[in-house]
Amino acid sequence: MILMFGHLTIDPPVVLAPMAGVTDAPFRVVCGEQGAGLFVSEMVTARGLVEGNEKSLEMTRHHPAERVRSLQLYGSDPAVMGDAVRRLVAEDAADHVDLNFGCPVPKVTRNGGGAALPFKRRLFAQVVAAAVGAAGEIPVTVKMRLGLDDDRLTYLDAGRIAADQGAAAVALHARTAIQGYAGAARWEAIARLVDAVPGTPVLGNGDIWRAEDAVAMVAATGCAGVVIGRGCLGRPWLFADLARIFNGEGPLGPPDLGEVVAIARRHLELSLAWYRDEPSAVRRFRKHLRWYLQGYPVGHDAHRRAGLAETEAQVLSLLDDVDPALRVVGSAVDAPRGRTDAMSRLVLPQGWCDDAEADAQVIDPRVAVSGG
Ligand SMILES: Cc1cc2nc3c(=O)[nH]c(=O)nc-3n(C[C@H](O)[C@H](O)[C@H](O)COP(=O)(O)O)c2cc1C
């Protein structure tokens, strides 16, 4: 099974979900070394890019090992979004652009951005059209949720609008914004979206923890590809299993800790080289280190050391000390990780939901935002 959008061929049909604070270049490379697919960047704000914000520009950089340079943009002003994509094209900085319409955090939805935006159909169409128009040959995809909440589902309309405006694929995180990351993803909605946008590939997202879940999602929904978020945190080897299972081979399942340690060492090495600054590289790496150990009976002290590590030497000595022969305990390695909570409330601009057809104007927050 091969996924195509635009001129890109993605084989197996597997996409690493954009995750703020997680899917930086070192992590993308580590995942790509395990398997294959499309590996999307952390979210970059379109406004930051247009204004030449150093951090935003830095986040658009890809590692030379990344064959397909994929970037996620967040923005809700069509003009700014168009400018941001034009800049990427002019600088030959991306081969694929994904648009984030799934972020549920108040900082973003309060202004009508992220998961709030698809409710306003016209503005949503304008943002997608601006990106597609500026992208030329580069495929633009849309990533969204089911809607604001169960009373305000938008995904079928938004999927049709995105397809009409030329999106090369639509990814659906099958939860509402208010659900955040809690509860089960509703795969049946992915099947409905597949039916609603014939001719446009639908990527299913939510709760793929094991390779078997990916083929189950494809079988249950008819989606053209799968998007892997939290399932690969501390488990880049999942991409090896995904490559196997889409190739008709049995997945190998969780490796022993020795193999995980080898992946962690490689990840650390890439991070140190990428950030060229030991404290910030280790700070970013620390959460991955904790995920790498999750599910293995390494003991309290190892977890404590992982949480406190500040230097390369501390990380390496911890990785030396754990027993490489350890195997996962029960199903602990498949246990949810990363975010698992619902949103306590949805914050929207006043009157936002009075009229879905009305024009809307949105001011993108200047601050860097995170989440999806
Ligand atoms: C730490 C974290 C950061 C995230 N950041 C983003 C983001 O920047 N953009 C986005 O579209 N989704 C983001 N998401 C959502 C994921 O891309 C994905 O849609 C979600 O985790 C559901 O997939 P899963 O069940 O496989 O984890 C984030 C998720 C997590 C856990």
Side-chain angles (χ1 to χ4, degrees):
M1 186 176 163
I2 296 176
L3 171 64
M4 306 265 308
F5 35 82
H7 59 279
L8 291 181
T9 303
I10 300 149
D11 178 16
V14 169
V15 177
L16 166 65
M19 286 182 278
V22 175
T23 57
D24 59 0
F27 185 65
R28 299 194 301 268
V29 171
V30 164
C31 291
E33 286 176 350
Q34 292 294 311
L38 181 70
F39 302 92
V40 187
S41 75
E42 301 178 81
M43 176 181 93
V44 182
T45 62
R47 180 175 288 276
L49 209 56
V50 168
E51 292 182 348
N53 175 286
E54 217 170 286
K55 190 165 171 237
S56 304
L57 294 174
E58 177 65 20
M59 285 167 76
T60 64
R61 272 205 308 137
H62 283 80
H63 190 279
E66 294 184 271
R67 209 177 37 82
V68 176
R69 299 159 305 161
S70 172
L71 265 183
Q72 188 185 57
L73 290 182
Y74 160 79
S76 18
D77 180 326
V80 174
M81 182 59 87
D83 283 350
V85 176
R86 253 185 300 281
R87 179 173 180 150
L88 291 173
V89 171
E91 293 176 3
D92 184 22
D95 303 304
H96 162 239
V97 170
D98 182 53
L99 305 180
N100 178 345
F101 297 107
C103 187
V105 304
K107 216 162 28 180
V108 168
T109 55
R110 169 180 295 129
N111 297 304
L117 197 78
F119 194 87
K120 289 292 195 197
R121 293 185 197 140
R122 284 197 206 181
L123 182 59
F124 174 70
Q126 287 161 6
V127 174
V128 177
V132 171
E137 297 291 296
I138 294 175
V140 173
T141 58
V142 161
K143 182 163 175 287
M144 61 187 184
R145 287 179 179 252
L146 297 177
L148 296 169
D149 53 29
D150 283 352
D151 296 328
R152 292 169 291 186
L153 297 174
T154 50
Y155 69 104
L156 294 176
D157 280 340
R160 290 189 197 102
I161 292 169
D164 284 350
Q165 299 304 325
V170 183
L172 180 64
H173 175 191
R175 289 187 175 85
T176 59
I178 191 76
Q179 267 186 288
Y181 297 87
R186 296 181 239 166
W187 290 4
E188 64 280 6
I190 299 171
R192 267 182 231 121
L193 183 60
V194 169
D195 288 340
V197 291
T200 301
V202 170
L203 310 180
N205 175 224
D207 292 348
I208 293 177
W209 302 103
R210 303 174 313 144
E212 292 90 331
D213 297 334
V215 285
M217 179 190 273
V218 171
T221 68
C223 64
V226 294
V227 182
I228 312 291
R230 296 162 298 164
C232 67
L233 302 179
R235 308 164 14 124
W237 49 261
L238 184 58
F239 289 98
D241 266 1
L242 288 160
R244 289 177 67 89
I245 209 161
F246 279 108
N247 197 31
E249 298 165 69
L252 300 175
D256 61 29
L257 188 54
E259 278 181 57
V260 173
V261 163
I263 295 171
R265 282 180 191 282
R266 171 70 176 143
H267 189 169
L268 176 66
E269 173 191 58
L270 282 161
S271 295
L272 289 164
W274 185 254
Y275 292 109
R276 295 187 296 266
D277 172 60
E278 184 178 341
S280 59
V282 173
R283 211 178 314 115
R284 283 191 72 108
F285 179 74
R286 206 158 44 199
K287 59 177 165 304
H288 292 281
L289 182 57
R290 297 170 72 180
W291 287 323
Y292 281 125
L293 299 179
Q294 189 174 324
Y296 294 87
V298 289
H300 266 318
D301 192 51
H303 286 293
R304 192 188 56 82
R305 285 168 66 190
L308 295 174
E310 281 179 0
T311 64
E312 176 187 12
Q314 286 169 336
V315 175
L316 291 176
S317 108
L318 170 57
L319 294 176
D320 279 343
D321 288 349
V322 293
D323 177 357
L326 287 180
R327 308 277 318 172
V328 163
V329 182
S331 62
V333 78
D334 290 332
R337 47 191 65 211
R339 302 173 182 170
T340 51
D341 291 341
M343 303 303 292
S344 56
R345 65 206 168 109
L346 256 191
V347 184
L348 299 167
Q350 182 124 40
W352 186 252
C353 294
D354 291 351
D355 183 358
E357 299 297 344
D359 280 326
Q361 212 192 351
V362 160
I363 298 165
D364 286 334
R366 277 228 153 63
V367 288
V369 287
S370 72

